[in-house]
Amino acid sequence: MRTLATPTNHPAAVRETPSTSQFQPEIQGLRAVAVLLVVLYHLWPVRLTGGYVGVDVFFVISGFLITSHMYREVQDGSALGLTRFWARRIRRLLPASLLVLLVTAFAAFLWIPSTLWEVTARQIGASALYVQNWVLAADSVDYSAQHNDASAVQHYWSLSVEEQFYFVWPLLVALLLYIARRPAIASRLGPLSSPRGTMIAGIAFVGALSLIYSVFLTVHSPSVAYFVTPTRVWEFAAGGLAALIFNGRQYSGPLATALAWAGMALIGYAAVTFDSATPFPGWWAMLPVLGTALVVTCAGNTGRTAPRWWLSRRPAIFLGDVSYGVYLWHWPLIVVLPFILDHDMGTLEKLLVLTASTFLAWITKLTVEDPLRRGRLLKKCLRAYLFAAAGMALTVAICFGVTSAAYSESSPNRSAELGACYGPGALEPANGCGPVVGTEAPSPAPAIVTKQNTQPLHPGCQAKAAGTDVVSCDLGVDASQASETVAVVGDSHATAWFPALEALAKDRGWRIKTYTKSSCPVTAAVRILASEKTDSNQRDCLAWGQKVARELAVDKNVGIIFTASYSTAFSFESPGNKSFKDPATDGFTEVWRKWLTAGKQVVVFDDVPRTTGEDVPTCLARQKDALACAITVDKAIPSNTAITNAAKAMSSEGVKRIVLRNQFCDDRLCYPAVGSIIVYRDFSHISAEYARALAPYIATQLP
């Protein structure tokens, strides 16, 4: 290669090599590395814990290539054709993307349980419109959606980010070029007045803002920060700056080779050492971003000792060429195949997914991507835009059809027909009901029950996990007609008892005041949730619980306080200002004693039995035998049920404990469905139907 003026006899010399072609084979190889990191992470997440950084490698490459392309147009004297640019993106990306979405929709209808159709269809529609990342960001802070199973198109979040980048980035470049070409403005920019200088300054400014926001949001809301576009813009900007600063040149020589290998090492280090607990993107994303930038700018050396040689081999280039298709196909296969096999994938099946993803990607490239990208059908911009609109509309319409089919499964209400054997009565031997799970299909059907997770009966009546504001709703009879005002207090398991308490309120003339908060029992101890990445929710929960405890203690209208908690999901510690002998139980008893002293009756629900951990309606929808979703008593009712143990300890002091074990379990099993009613709406919260059915059993235990 021809070298520039830098002396080559110095051992640390860095040589600039102008690109003789726009094609850089090592970038295809780097794409292969990126997609392998992502796919291997999805297949073996425990082995390659940080493989998700492959997405960040893709982002930097996209910023590098797109910015390079747009700047070449400027250098050639051409106008920055926005409509042509977007039409090229449509031809390149949408055919394969929409094909995979449509195939996934039909696969979901054939093999995925009906309980997952709604979330799958919703995310397919969001993916077709390229807003999937925002949907997942909203779900990540929505308690009712946080425990959704990963949909078959969840990976489209990164494609959504890229498409949003492709839409906005040309507008930013056009604005910067407009500024550079205005003499009145350019004269004030000095050395940055050239189009290249203005683009570098503008992109650096936007990238810096995005990085600052990424660091901030990663600390305060990591789940949202992972998905939203503004926290990722700086990664594209890094690639764009690399393209503009080096202006098409690649560096070679010993130092460049060392820097390129350092870049590969940064990517590899992040992939091997990062995990789900790493605050990401934030500062840590700088490792794979910087590593990628080093590789694409310092890969001029073609010798075997340089990364470029390895990244330019035929297998790497082939995998890079089909990397887009591999990314599209691999995740639907990972999600759908276990439902087809009816068991989790082993090593052989995972290798099959890896092979099948590559094969499908290659076939898709030959039969769909290349013909539509290079052929005459979509060559005109208008045709490309019409294709995009029609394809998106068709995909969204099919999603509505899949969702409607899920709800058409609803079985008729059998309560009158089954009588005492409908619901908890099926567990009473005296009723002679036959199988505990029921003789009829569950009513309502699993898809209807699981909908309660996204469409709660009383929206807005449960405070979110973050924050300390007290949210309260009035249920039951009107205050002017109430014979008694009762309160229901606790986390989402207390919210799940709303239907039962409403049924009691109707019979007893109660006005109900609600005080519930996601993942937050009312206790004087600090509750610890292992899945939380920061301790801000712990502080918020403690402060919120203290507010609720004080408010109820002084509320003279409230005579009875019902409380419940998913206490086996937490561990407990003493707060900083006191030391409990047993924080798990002492935190509850301290609060309850204050309420008893204030003249309240305290009624505590035993925590509901634990399940296998799988979403119960989904298990019932995919299993022919409902007993496959049952769990043995010893596992369903562990000894560390803190709220139950606290209620036992305070029974002599006047705390009333509601015991419903016999309405969930017999001597051997705890059941997912009882008397043709599904017991849980997800993996732990009882369904509204089963809560109502338990109202008479609660009533018999009340004074």
Side-chain angles (χ1 to χ4, degrees):
M1 284 189 182
R2 184 175 66 86
T3 59
L4 298 181
T6 307
T8 59
N9 58 345
H10 193 282
V14 178
R15 295 177 291 170
E16 293 180 353
T17 306
S19 282
T20 57
S21 168
Q22 294 180 5
F23 177 69
Q24 295 178 236
E26 73 280 359
I27 289 184
Q28 291 302 87
L30 196 56
R31 279 178 166 148
V33 171
V35 79
L36 269 178
L37 290 178
V38 173
V39 175
L40 294 178
Y41 165 67
H42 285 156
L43 288 171
W44 289 280
V46 178
R47 302 283 182 86
L48 192 67
T49 56
Y52 54 80
V53 301
V55 169
D56 305 271
V57 175
F58 277 125
F59 288 166
V60 178
I61 292 174
S62 294
F64 180 84
L65 294 177
I66 294 304
T67 308
S68 298
H69 173 80
M70 290 188 292
Y71 184 60
R72 278 196 300 270
E73 285 191 344
V74 175
Q75 283 183 310
D76 294 341
S78 305
L80 191 62
L82 298 183
T83 55
R84 293 196 308 273
F85 173 85
W86 290 324
R88 284 195 298 269
R89 294 296 91 202
I90 289 172
R91 288 192 292 268
R92 171 69 182 90
L93 299 175
L94 259 68
S97 172
L98 293 175
L99 171 66
V100 173
L101 289 177
L102 291 172
V103 170
T104 302
F106 285 110
F109 186 77
L110 290 175
W111 291 299
I112 291 179
S114 57
T115 53
L116 302 178
W117 288 358
E118 182 190 21
V119 67
T120 301
R122 174 168 159 263
Q123 292 193 15
I124 288 176
S127 298
L129 300 174
Y130 289 100
V131 293
Q132 167 76 320
N133 63 315
W134 293 100
V135 170
L136 291 175
D139 286 351
S140 71
V141 294
D142 180 356
Y143 184 81
S144 63
Q146 282 176 2
H147 301 291
N148 284 345
D149 292 323
S151 81
V153 295
Q154 188 161 306
H155 63 313
Y156 269 70
W157 77 267
S158 63
L159 303 180
S160 298
V161 172
E162 288 221 27
E163 283 297 315
Q164 292 160 31
F165 163 76
Y166 293 143
F167 179 74
V168 174
W169 204 247
L171 297 176
L172 172 64
V173 172
L175 174 62
L176 294 173
L177 292 175
Y178 172 81
I179 292 173
R181 289 167 179 166
R182 303 297 293 179
I185 301 175
S187 62
R188 301 178 182 178
L189 297 177
L192 300 177
S193 59
S194 67
R196 178 166 166 250
T198 305
M199 287 175 66
I200 289 174
I203 290 174
F205 177 72
V206 170
L209 290 179
S210 170
L211 177 57
I212 292 170
Y213 181 67
S214 179
V215 172
F216 170 81
L217 197 61
T218 299
V219 171
H220 291 88
S221 186
S223 299
V224 174
Y226 190 85
F227 293 113
V228 296
T229 307
T231 63
R232 301 286 186 162
V233 168
W234 69 274
E235 301 181 27
F236 296 97
L241 288 173
L244 292 169
I245 292 172
F246 294 96
N247 196 17
R249 296 186 297 270
Q250 283 189 311
Y251 288 90
S252 61
L255 178 58
T257 297
L259 290 173
W261 278 119
M264 294 295 293
L266 287 174
I267 296 170
Y269 176 81
V272 172
T273 62
F274 288 6
D275 57 26
S276 60
T278 303
F280 205 84
W283 289 112
W284 288 107
M286 295 184 75
L287 269 66
V289 169
L290 177 60
T292 307
L294 285 173
V295 174
V296 298
T297 55
C298 298
N301 193 339
T302 58
R304 292 194 178 200
T305 59
R308 181 174 185 174
W309 190 89
W310 297 96
L311 294 173
S312 302
R313 298 306 89 200
R314 284 183 180 273
I317 290 179
F318 169 77
L319 187 55
D321 286 343
V322 299
S323 59
Y324 179 57
V326 172
Y327 186 84
L328 289 174
W329 284 111
H330 84 282
W331 185 249
L333 291 175
I334 289 174
V335 172
V336 175
L337 189 58
F339 290 114
I340 299 175
L341 300 173
D342 200 26
H343 62 76
D344 293 336
M345 291 189 296
T347 300
L348 183 62
E349 290 92 353
K350 290 180 179 181
L351 291 174
L352 176 64
V353 166
L354 186 60
T355 305
S357 301
T358 307
F359 177 75
L360 288 171
W362 176 59
I363 293 297
T364 303
K365 186 175 188 298
L366 292 180
T367 61
V368 177
E369 291 183 64
D370 289 349
L372 290 178
R373 179 161 55 97
R374 299 170 180 168
R376 299 175 59 86
L377 181 62
L378 301 181
K379 189 172 183 179
K380 292 184 178 181
C381 292
L382 179 59
R383 289 183 182 177
Y385 289 120
L386 290 175
F387 167 79
M392 290 177 175
L394 174 64
T395 306
V396 172
I398 288 175
C399 291
F400 278 112
V402 170
T403 304
S404 300
Y407 300 133
S408 68
E409 275 199 349
S410 179
S411 52
N413 192 316
R414 305 281 189 181
S415 57
E417 182 180 330
L418 297 175
C421 293
Y422 181 71
L427 274 164
E428 296 184 22
N431 290 337
C433 296
V436 171
V437 295
T439 56
E440 303 286 341
S443 175
I448 303 298
V449 174
T450 201
K451 196 175 178 66
Q452 295 170 16
N453 292 310
T454 54
Q455 296 184 4
L457 296 175
H458 301 288
C461 291
Q462 177 176 288
K464 296 180 180 180
T468 61
D469 292 342
V470 175
V471 174
S472 181
C473 292
D474 282 0
L475 308 178
V477 303
D478 186 80
S480 61
Q481 302 173 343
S483 61
E484 181 84 67
T485 298
V486 305
V488 54
V489 178
D491 56 24
S492 57
H493 275 219
T495 303
W497 287 112
F498 285 178
L501 294 175
E502 283 186 294
L504 291 171
K506 183 178 180 181
D507 292 337
R508 300 194 173 204
W510 285 348
R511 172 199 178 201
I512 303 172
K513 297 182 69 174
T514 69
Y515 298 88
T516 61
K517 180 178 173 65
S518 301
S519 299
C520 188
V522 176
T523 169
V526 178
R527 73 102 180 97
I528 310 295
L529 186 60
S531 61
E532 288 179 346
K533 296 182 179 180
T534 67
D535 59 1
S536 60
N537 285 357
Q538 296 174 14
R539 295 191 299 269
D540 290 349
C541 178
L542 184 62
W544 174 84
Q546 291 170 343
K547 284 184 181 180
V548 170
R550 288 194 300 267
E551 185 172 326
L552 286 174
V554 299
D555 190 336
K556 298 186 181 300
N557 294 318
V558 174
I560 306 173
I561 300 175
F562 289 89
T563 186
S565 170
Y566 189 28
S567 63
T568 56
F570 311 115
S571 58
F572 298 87
E573 295 179 357
S574 297
N577 60 344
K578 63 183 65 178
S579 178
F580 290 128
K581 182 179 180 181
D582 179 7
T585 57
D586 294 349
F588 286 111
T589 58
E590 178 172 301
V591 173
W592 299 344
R593 283 194 179 95
K594 291 179 180 178
W595 288 341
L596 291 170
T597 302
K600 318 295 182 185
Q601 281 188 306
V602 178
V603 181
V604 180
F605 286 98
D606 273 9
D607 207 350
V608 297
R610 296 184 68 91
T611 66
T612 60
E614 182 182 5
D615 181 85
V616 170
T618 298
C619 185
L620 292 170
R622 70 178 181 85
Q623 294 285 357
K624 294 180 180 179
D625 183 5
L627 291 181
C629 307
I631 187 170
T632 57
V633 170
D634 59 320
K635 294 179 180 178
I637 307 176
S639 60
N640 65 333
T641 307
I643 197 167
T644 300
N645 293 338
K648 289 178 181 177
M650 288 197 65
S651 60
S652 61
E653 298 180 44
V655 168
K656 179 62 183 176
R657 176 180 162 221
I658 302 296
V659 183
L660 297 168
R661 179 196 180 284
N662 293 338
Q663 282 67 53
F664 288 91
C665 317
D666 56 22
D667 293 337
R668 189 171 58 93
L669 296 174
C670 293
Y671 293 89
V674 176
S676 298
I677 299 181
I678 297 175
V679 176
Y680 302 89
R681 59 175 167 84
D682 55 12
F683 66 96
S684 71
H685 301 86
I686 59 173
S687 67
E689 292 75 24
Y690 205 68
R692 290 192 195 97
L694 289 171
Y697 298 89
I698 297 170
T700 60
Q701 298 184 50
L702 294 176

